Amino acid sequence: MEKGALTIFRIVLLMMIPMLYSLLFIGSMMDPYGKINNLPVAVVKVRSNSKEDIIHRTFMQKNLFSYHELSKKNAESKLKNGEVYGIIEFKQLTNRSQKSETEIYLTTAEGANYAVSKIITASMERFTVKANQLVNQKEPGTTVRFVHKEAYPIKNNGEGMAPYFFALTLFVGAIATNSVAAVHFNKLKSKFKDYWRNVFFFPLIFIVGEVIFMTGMDYYLLGFGKEHIGILFCLLLFIAITYYSIVAAVNRLFPGTGGLIVLVLTMLQTSSSAGSYAIYLSNPIFQEINKFIPMTYSVMSLRKILSLDNLNIHRELIVLIIFLMVSQVIIYLSFTIHHKKKRSSIEVNG
């Protein structure tokens, strides 16, 4: 009866895969442009005067983004860490003809998110047009000028999406490696250390090879990682090992059903890891999922190194280490729950 119910569960879950994938992936990006006011943006106010206050006050009242009023130094630090997606600063100048000019300075980071940088820039350009209309109604001849600076430029969308695709392909590689390992390293072992070698250690040969090929080809053919190639390789290898540990743990703990569970995990990660759009543009449920999946921290650490020239990835590494440690514990549990019991049963029946 239990086997029959489990079989039915697997069949139903298998049939639900396309539905789940479409719901999760489309649902996570249903209306990103309708949630622009959730994007965290730093606002720096240099000094106070009447004209600048009008523009600044109008800007703050419109709630175009999620504002964080910070010092310029703190704002630049948060931009480099991917914690805000732009820095907005208001300055008042007097030109040669003694007419007032208010300049709105926008600094964005395409490296933090290529699409979001374009969205913020377009929004600020539209605001500048409206600000000019407002100021000239009150004081004709006063000019509002928009100045945009890109702090961490990206050549194209492909380069901007690279951290996400690197993380995703490594997870796919972990799934493929586990399939090979399940065939070639599946002999029954009576001791955990022998079981662990078969389940986890020996398959790492394939994992290392995958990372060498991927890093090498992407470096020589696409030019990724030129600034920090050594650190990038080590990070990619650590991410790949962590992913493989997770995939192996799930498959061993839930024999027969683990593959479907890993597939669902893949869907959750592609929809909730903020690979394409910033997670702030997604629905609240995906924002919560984002905190608890390994790909979130893989994408962020790769984005920092590849796109933000930022080696401060300690937080991301700590979270990934936790995922690795938990999955290793699960591998041990799978040995005690399934493999050891199966071995004892064979010995008794033999």
Side-chain angles (χ1 to χ4, degrees):
M1 187 66 177
E2 289 184 1
K3 281 190 175 181
L6 185 58
T7 301
I8 292 172
F9 171 75
R10 290 171 182 167
I11 292 171
V12 173
L13 182 57
L14 182 63
M15 291 189 295
M16 290 175 63
I17 293 299
M19 179 270 291
L20 288 171
Y21 213 155
S22 60
L23 282 178
L24 289 171
F25 200 74
I26 297 173
S28 68
M29 299 187 295
M30 183 62 72
D31 185 25
Y33 294 94
K35 299 179 176 65
I36 295 174
N37 61 323
N38 292 333
L39 287 172
V41 171
V43 179
V44 181
K45 194 161 182 264
V46 179
R47 60 178 181 270
S48 176
N49 58 65
S50 58
K51 298 183 186 66
E52 184 182 333
D53 278 347
I54 293 172
I55 298 169
H56 178 265
R57 187 166 57 250
T58 302
F59 174 75
M60 299 299 282
Q61 289 172 350
K62 282 188 173 294
N63 294 317
L64 294 178
F65 313 109
S66 175
Y67 304 129
H68 299 260
E69 291 195 90
L70 303 167
S71 68
K72 190 168 184 178
K73 184 177 180 180
N74 287 339
E76 289 172 346
S77 175
K78 286 187 175 294
L79 188 70
K80 189 178 183 70
N81 282 318
E83 297 175 42
V84 298
Y85 293 92
I87 302 172
I88 298 168
E89 187 175 359
F90 297 88
K91 290 184 179 180
Q92 175 132 18
L93 306 171
T94 303
N95 60 26
R96 292 179 180 178
S97 61
Q98 299 301 309
K99 291 185 178 180
S100 296
E101 286 186 356
T102 299
E103 292 188 334
I104 304 174
Y105 285 85
L106 170 66
T107 304
T108 54
E110 290 178 344
N113 192 289
Y114 186 76
V116 166
S117 175
K118 304 301 180 187
I119 291 172
I120 292 175
T121 303
S123 296
M124 289 307 299
E125 287 173 344
R126 289 193 295 270
F127 172 77
T128 303
V129 172
K130 293 179 180 179
N132 263 307
Q133 294 171 352
L134 174 66
V135 170
N136 278 290
Q137 285 175 0
K138 297 189 175 184
E139 189 173 340
T142 302
T143 305
V144 179
R145 196 159 66 95
F146 176 63
V147 180
H148 177 225
K149 172 188 173 184
E150 181 52 55
Y152 302 98
I154 293 295
K155 293 179 182 177
N156 48 49
N157 190 56
E159 187 174 327
M161 293 288 287
Y164 171 59
F165 286 128
F166 278 9
L168 178 59
T169 51
L170 286 177
F171 199 81
V172 173
I175 296 172
T177 300
N178 182 72
S179 300
V180 173
V183 175
H184 295 282
F185 303 105
N186 203 31
K187 292 182 180 180
L188 292 174
K189 300 293 181 182
S190 59
K191 296 181 179 179
F192 175 70
K193 65 178 182 178
D194 298 322
Y195 174 83
W196 181 81
R197 286 173 188 162
N198 275 9
V199 171
F200 179 72
F201 185 72
F202 292 149
L204 293 187
I205 298 171
F206 300 100
I207 295 296
V208 172
E210 290 169 5
V211 175
I212 289 173
F213 277 117
M214 187 176 80
T215 308
M217 290 300 100
D218 286 328
Y219 175 80
Y220 286 108
L221 297 181
L222 301 178
F224 289 118
K226 289 183 177 179
E227 298 297 324
H228 308 289
I229 187 62
I231 295 174
L232 176 62
F233 174 80
C234 292
L235 175 60
L236 289 171
L237 182 59
F238 176 66
I239 291 171
I241 291 172
T242 302
Y243 283 173
Y244 179 74
S245 183
I246 293 169
V247 172
V250 173
N251 276 284
R252 294 290 174 164
L253 188 61
F254 304 102
T257 310
L260 291 175
I261 296 174
V262 168
L263 187 55
V264 173
L265 177 59
T266 306
M267 296 176 194
L268 289 173
Q269 297 200 115
T270 55
S271 61
S272 307
S273 61
S276 50
Y277 288 101
I279 195 63
Y280 302 96
L281 300 179
S282 190
N283 293 325
I285 186 170
F286 295 102
Q287 294 180 25
E288 287 302 312
I289 294 172
N290 173 267
K291 302 172 186 176
F292 301 102
I293 52 175
M295 198 175 290
T296 294
Y297 305 94
S298 304
V299 170
M300 192 65 240
S301 60
L302 289 168
R303 188 168 278 152
K304 283 183 176 181
I305 289 177
L306 286 170
S307 308
L308 295 172
D309 193 27
N310 186 353
L311 301 182
N312 182 18
I313 58 173
H314 303 92
R315 174 176 174 271
E316 290 78 16
L317 288 178
I318 289 171
V319 177
L320 289 172
I321 288 170
I322 293 171
F323 275 109
L324 177 60
M325 293 173 64
V326 170
S327 61
Q328 288 292 299
V329 171
I330 293 174
I331 289 176
Y332 176 76
L333 290 176
S334 72
F335 173 76
T336 59
I337 295 172
H338 300 298
H339 196 85
K340 195 174 180 180
K341 187 186 296 184
K342 187 176 180 181
R343 178 76 184 184
S344 299
S345 176
I346 291 174
E347 289 175 353
V348 170
N349 293 329

